[in-house]
Amino acid sequence: MNETAKNTIEGLIKENKVFLFMKGTPEAPMCGFSAGVSNVLRSLGIQFGSFNVLSDESIRQGIKDYANWPTIPQLYVNGEFIGGHDIVVEMARTGELQKKVGTIPA
């Protein structure tokens, strides 16, 4: 991954408590998994930043290298990589995601 992509990724993650790398945007997701994660976050009232990886190939590949995770979407909370669709959905179901984000007490 090039240094510019790495700096961009780290900046986005640090600037936002909750950040989602996804295909498309929360308003117009371009894949079902990205739609699923953004819908979970919105249904829980969790504010989040996002980046459309389809708009920049260096970020699209870079985020996979950065997290050592082969798929998108990827969710970060407080700078920590949480996971993709299935992990986020399960964490929301159990309340673990809400605890991690701080919308409910730990």
Side-chain angles (χ1 to χ4, degrees), residues 1-100:
M1 156 180 22
N2 69 48
E3 201 62 30
T4 302
K6 182 179 180 191
N7 291 338
T8 299
I9 289 166
E10 288 178 345
L12 291 168
I13 292 168
K14 288 177 184 170
E15 291 170 13
N16 296 272
K17 179 177 181 174
V18 180
F19 198 82
L20 178 63
F21 290 91
M22 64 183 293
K23 293 178 180 174
T25 64
E27 300 76 27
M30 299 298 288
C31 88
F33 295 116
S34 291
V37 173
S38 66
N39 287 340
V40 164
L41 295 172
R42 290 193 299 185
S43 73
L44 296 172
I46 297 171
Q47 299 223 347
F48 65 100
S50 67
F51 185 90
N52 176 5
V53 299
L54 299 177
S55 70
D56 187 326
E57 184 58 36
S58 68
I59 302 297
R60 183 179 185 173
Q61 184 56 49
I63 195 60
K64 294 175 185 180
D65 297 337
Y66 186 83
N68 196 25
W69 190 263
T71 59
I72 295 165
Q74 292 185 16
L75 183 68
Y76 290 77
V77 176
N78 295 320
E80 175 189 352
F81 174 59
I82 301 301
H85 177 271
D86 293 351
I87 292 168
V88 171
V89 169
E90 180 62 16
M91 287 178 71
R93 187 189 66 73
T94 65
E96 188 178 348
L97 179 63
Q98 298 88 314
K99 288 178 187 173
K100 189 164 281 295

